[in-house]
Amino acid sequence: MARTSKKQTALKFRGEWEYAPAPESKDHIRLEKKYGLFINGKFSEPRSGKYFDSVNPADETLLASVAEAGAEDVDLAVTAARSAYEKTWSKMPARERGKYIYRIARLMQERARELAIIESMDGGKPIRESRDIDIPLAAAHFFYYAGWADKLEYAVPGRTAGPLGVAGQIIPWNFPLLMAAWKIAPALAAGNTVVIKPAETTPLTALKLAEIIRDADLPSGVVNIITGAGSTGSALVNHPGIQKVAFTGSTEVGKMIQKTLAGTDKKYTLELGGKAANIIFEDAAIDQAVEGIINGIFFNQGHVCCAGSRLFVQEPVAAKVIRKLKDRMETLLVGDPLDKNTDVGAINSKAQLDKIHKYLKIGVNEGGEMYQTSCKLPSRGFWCRPTLFTDVSQSSRIVQEEIFGPVLSVQTFRTVEEAIEKANNIPYGLSGGVWTDKGSKIFRVTSQIRAGVIWANTYNKFDPVSPFGGYKESGMGREGGLHGLLPYIQTYSN
Ligand code: NAP
Ligand code: MG
């Protein structure tokens, strides 16, 4: 059957076998019209007097007005965290600290459905993902690090471990609650207190987490959640009262933060951008690989630092893989994030959609062959069709730069060496994937790719016990597991 007629068949099939809508109910969701800053255990109006809007990117409706912390507010939050550190948290028996962290995890589980729905409303990701991945993993991180609280001596055998003080933490919009969990849980387990700033477009689950922290009776000031934009983040990084900065976001901002911190005694970890290579060898289980590639790039609209945005296919199977990818892309359901059938939700913001469109133009202008699925997009909100580029070169900007959208570029290779060389020829090194039937090839390729995480015959698998982080411009330091605990402790000789 000719290629175009396959696509028509897929469309016809879709028309005849349309899934009935299965929207998640949001009747029970309670959002305040206006949210203050969570400082010293309670919500309060910002001294700055300023607020900004958080909208639903799927329909551009206003969800809530949120306080914008100014320098004075940041100072209040850091002062509250310092006082809680000195008076309560660092003095509390470690077992008691652990109990509080467990309690937060349990309360998150109790409110999991509500958190998942708010995550999808505020950020645009499909409910299937927020329900099955973001929220359970966020709770799992709190459970995992709660277990470490009274075992710090085992983290650094032969030495005594202690906290650093106040941690200033800044997170992005792609996994809002999960990133908050990655940051807060290890900091608390090690005995630090926290001031955290969520991203401007997705502050709502962090504010719900503030309610949970309050309900868990965590001593006031141990966790402070301050909303705002880049200037709030910058004021936090520059505040002299913090001892540690943990940042997840773009390489551009990460580099600025690193410059700011040079010469200070603040410790820092940076989790930055990525441009992962997925490599399919001719001996791979092709259908399984295609499913993994689709998951790797279209999952969460490609708003994933470890998204498999570059695909390298061994030449003999390239035509087959590309045809299968296009067929599978055509069946992806793009639309309402709250619909349980949805595969690809809304792009997080207008600014991010503009950035993706800019790259699509660059890709075409550079001579790439662009393929987009034919799905109908909703009339309101921010949407992008799943997109695939062929005929791209190693130097193409869409191959070298992080797009952070549902855009996959495909290149071919002949030998294992060529695949490794092409995969490594990039400033980033966060993650990667290899698809092959041969265990020996897996070991050879994974040991030579300069990336923090490499999946074999699967993709995007996470667990609180596994460390995660980048090589090269993808950052420094690790989060998750024992590795994620160490940046929050200092050690003394016994
Ligand atoms: P971003 O623009 O760098 O923002 C990240 C956070 O930093 C946001 O809270 C942002 O606030 C804040 N910020 C902006 N300017 C700042 C400044 N000058 N000083 C201090 N803080 C500042 O990144 P993004 O667009 O939100 O997120 C996407 C990026 O995150 C991608 O590059 C992705 O690869 C990366 N990421 C990495 C990982 C990882 O583990 N390596 C995980 C997830 C995402 P506002 O949003 O309010 O402006
Ligand atoms: Mg929003």
Side-chain angles (χ1 to χ4, degrees):
M1 200 184 289
R3 219 150 289 169
T4 44
S5 73
K6 270 235 163 191
K7 185 164 164 181
Q8 280 159 359
T9 313
L11 279 175
K12 182 164 171 283
F13 173 82
R14 195 132 136 231
E16 284 171 6
W17 298 68
E18 205 78 65
Y19 287 99
E24 180 72 55
S25 158
K26 50 183 181 186
D27 297 347
H28 58 295
I29 299 301
R30 300 273 167 272
L31 286 174
E32 307 289 338
K33 281 201 164 62
K34 215 170 163 188
Y35 281 93
L37 303 168
F38 186 70
I39 297 177
N40 211 17
K42 51 183 184 300
F43 284 100
S44 50
E45 302 253 328
R47 295 276 170 101
S48 70
K50 290 190 196 158
Y51 286 82
F52 61 93
D53 293 340
S54 194
V55 299
N56 181 339
D59 57 13
E60 298 172 61
T61 53
L62 173 67
L63 293 172
S65 215
V66 178
E68 181 180 335
E72 203 185 334
D73 298 299
V74 171
D75 187 47
L76 282 176
V78 174
T79 307
R82 162 66 37 194
S83 166
Y85 174 74
E86 282 168 5
K87 295 193 186 128
T88 347
W89 198 243
S90 65
K91 299 230 166 69
M92 187 181 284
R95 273 185 56 193
E96 295 304 310
R97 278 207 313 265
K99 284 187 201 168
Y100 279 109
I101 306 171
Y102 271 122
R103 200 181 289 172
I104 294 171
R106 291 300 304 268
L107 287 170
M108 284 174 84
Q109 284 185 322
E110 276 174 25
R111 293 175 63 171
R113 183 146 173 246
E114 175 196 2
L115 292 169
I117 293 169
I118 296 173
E119 200 72 302
S120 285
M121 288 167 71
D122 202 17
K125 65 173 64 192
I127 185 72
R128 223 174 45 206
E129 281 165 21
S130 36
R131 184 196 62 197
D132 297 349
I133 297 166
D134 294 60
I135 311 305
L137 264 180
H141 264 82
F142 277 99
F143 276 121
Y144 173 73
Y145 282 110
W148 269 116
D150 62 352
K151 301 177 194 67
L152 295 185
E153 74 227 60
Y154 300 104
V156 282
R159 292 181 71 78
T160 302
L164 300 172
V166 179
Q169 308 180 321
I170 298 169
I171 54 174
W173 44 259
N174 58 343
F175 289 89
L177 190 68
L178 183 57
M179 290 298 113
W182 279 26
K183 298 270 179 292
I184 297 173
L188 296 189
N192 303 278
T193 57
V194 164
V195 179
I196 186 167
K197 188 200 93 67
E200 196 181 355
T201 57
T202 53
L204 297 182
T205 45
L207 293 165
K208 285 284 154 188
L209 180 60
E211 291 175 9
I212 287 174
I213 283 167
R214 194 186 52 193
D215 295 349
D217 281 333
L218 197 73
S220 302
V222 172
V223 174
N224 304 275
I225 300 181
I226 54 169
T227 42
S231 58
T232 307
S234 176
L236 181 57
V237 169
N238 284 293
H239 197 288
I242 60 169
Q243 283 68 51
K244 149 94 185 161
V245 172
F247 172 80
T248 298
S250 61
T251 295
E252 188 191 353
V253 175
K255 283 182 179 174
M256 274 160 47
I257 290 178
Q258 198 172 21
K259 276 186 197 144
T260 310
L261 295 178
T264 72
D265 58 2
K266 291 174 189 164
K267 292 195 182 331
Y268 58 91
T269 38
L270 305 170
E271 300 279 0
L272 310 176
K275 190 80 185 174
N278 241 325
I279 303 172
I280 306 187
F281 287 97
E282 59 179 327
D283 55 30
I286 299 294
D287 287 336
Q288 185 187 331
V290 165
E291 203 53 36
I293 305 303
I294 293 278
N295 167 38
I297 182 65
F298 300 123
F299 163 68
N300 199 21
Q301 301 70 252
H303 295 339
V304 185
C305 51
C306 51
S309 49
R310 293 181 298 151
L311 174 62
F312 295 100
V313 194
Q314 201 156 17
E315 252 182 35
V317 291
K320 186 172 167 187
V321 167
I322 292 169
R323 177 170 52 76
K324 282 179 180 271
L325 272 174
K326 288 179 176 172
D327 287 351
R328 179 68 180 91
M329 281 166 70
E330 196 58 47
T331 65
L332 290 173
L333 300 176
V334 183
D336 182 6
L338 287 186
D339 192 316
K340 287 164 225 155
N341 297 318
T342 295
D343 297 306
V344 181
I347 300 301
N348 184 265
S349 65
K350 170 86 170 52
Q352 186 58 28
L353 183 60
D354 291 345
K355 181 179 166 193
I356 296 169
H357 282 157
K358 182 189 89 179
Y359 275 108
L360 297 185
K361 270 200 196 116
I362 291 172
V364 172
N365 290 341
E366 283 179 330
E369 176 74 34
M370 183 171 80
Y371 171 87
Q372 288 194 304
T373 64
S374 55
C375 61
K376 218 171 121 212
L377 298 181
S379 54
R380 296 197 65 191
F382 314 127
W383 306 95
C384 180
R385 291 195 166 82
T387 304
L388 181 147
F389 272 97
T390 47
D391 289 341
V392 293
S393 72
Q394 191 62 22
S395 60
S396 300
R397 282 185 67 191
I398 58 161
V399 171
Q400 288 289 325
E401 297 174 21
E402 186 184 43
I403 302 174
F404 224 56
V407 185
L408 176 67
S409 65
V410 186
Q411 292 173 272
T412 58
F413 67 92
R414 290 183 184 171
T415 62
V416 180
E417 292 71 27
E418 188 188 348
I420 293 169
E421 193 162 327
K422 282 182 164 168
N424 280 335
N425 178 14
I426 192 105
Y428 296 109
L430 190 59
S431 58
V434 48
W435 301 83
T436 170
D437 194 31
K438 300 275 177 295
S440 56
K441 223 178 265 173
I442 291 176
F443 286 116
R444 179 156 168 219
V445 174
T446 53
S447 65
Q448 290 187 49
I449 291 188
R450 309 283 297 157
V453 183
I454 303 173
W455 289 283
N457 293 329
T458 185
Y459 207 81
N460 272 340
K461 289 277 183 292
F462 289 94
D463 188 285
V465 178
S466 305
F468 184 86
Y471 281 51
K472 301 193 277 188
E473 294 197 12
S474 289
M476 52 203 304
R478 295 290 178 265
E479 290 187 311
L482 169 62
H483 297 70
L485 185 69
L486 298 178
Y488 287 99
I489 58 183
Q490 53 187 320
T491 63
Y492 312 90
S493 53
N494 286 336

